[in-house]
Amino acid sequence: MHCRPARTCFRLFCGLLLLGLGSAASAEERPEALLAALDAFPHAVQIANSRTAVVDYEVGLGAMQKHLGDWQFKRSRRVDGERVRYTWQITDGFSAEEVFTGLVGKVTALPDSERLFGCEGRACGNGAQWANRVFAQRVLYGRADAQRYEVYSVGGEGGYLVLAYAAARTSDRQYLHAEVIRLAPQLQE
């Protein structure tokens, strides 16, 4: 059910989001503002959200792979800070992939945004591990060829990490998960 007015509404929404971010939000608020604005998108139904302090939180910078009988990232980075996370079901004929692409486009437009890792489809590794072990959201488990994951650094050292993961089970069960981690300042020795 791909209707033209809904697509126009989505493009208008993304344009307004970008304008609002450029004028109203400070540089520090921009990554979190992206998630809050997406949460207001009428075709993204929030399933879960949280805000927590994290210590030694492992951020995947590589595919999930089995090594010596244990699932782990091919590469990762451990960080401390405050994590804001959302999981949405994408509805009304929109795909998780197109909303993911819109979100990633907004992240890349932020000042000092740098892509640290990205994968799609089977190149990301086992989808069940991403859903259950990494994000603790079993609804994210879907078709291996329909998963997408990207990680960005925003604002350099002491800034943010932005993670986005999209998955699809069927055409009616499309999901997007996103996290913003405000990095804690590193202690100097």
Side-chain angles (χ1 to χ4, degrees):
M1 125 177 172
H2 294 276
C3 66
R4 200 170 204 76
R7 298 280 183 247
T8 303
C9 174
F10 179 66
R11 288 186 188 109
L12 179 61
F13 173 77
C14 287
L16 291 173
L17 170 65
L18 190 56
L19 286 174
L21 290 174
S23 61
S26 73
E28 282 190 359
E29 298 170 330
R30 288 182 180 171
E32 288 184 47
L34 286 172
L35 300 189
L38 184 55
D39 198 41
F41 181 54
H43 306 288
V45 178
Q46 186 184 115
I47 293 174
N49 79 333
S50 66
R51 177 182 296 268
T52 57
V54 293
V55 177
D56 280 338
Y57 182 65
E58 188 175 20
V59 175
L61 299 175
M64 287 298 295
Q65 62 184 15
K66 201 167 195 176
H67 180 72
L68 299 174
D70 189 28
W71 286 99
Q72 57 188 316
F73 293 113
K74 186 172 183 176
R75 246 184 72 232
S76 67
R77 174 180 168 193
R78 292 200 175 267
V79 298
D80 300 337
E82 182 181 39
R83 178 188 68 201
V84 176
R85 67 179 359 184
Y86 285 89
T87 304
W88 301 276
Q89 180 173 3
I90 308 304
T91 62
D92 301 327
F94 287 89
S95 73
E97 181 179 356
E98 70 185 310
V99 178
F100 173 89
T101 301
L103 175 61
V104 166
K106 302 303 179 256
V107 172
T108 60
L110 294 174
D112 298 324
S113 174
E114 177 188 354
R115 184 175 186 249
L116 301 177
F117 175 73
C119 63
E120 61 181 70
R122 296 184 189 283
C124 294
N126 187 293
Q129 298 302 315
W130 284 101
N132 297 315
R133 181 182 161 140
V134 177
F135 299 124
Q137 292 292 327
R138 66 187 185 117
V139 297
L140 293 174
Y141 177 59
R143 296 186 337 258
D145 64 321
Q147 63 185 339
R148 309 268 184 279
Y149 174 70
E150 293 203 17
V151 181
Y152 288 84
S153 172
V154 178
E157 286 296 317
Y160 297 87
L161 291 179
V162 180
L163 294 71
Y165 181 82
R169 288 181 172 206
T170 66
S171 61
D172 294 338
R173 296 172 72 189
Q174 305 272 322
Y175 299 94
L176 178 66
H177 178 87
E179 300 182 4
V180 171
I181 303 166
R182 183 179 204 165
L183 300 172
Q186 299 297 316
L187 298 175
Q188 300 295 326
E189 292 187 26

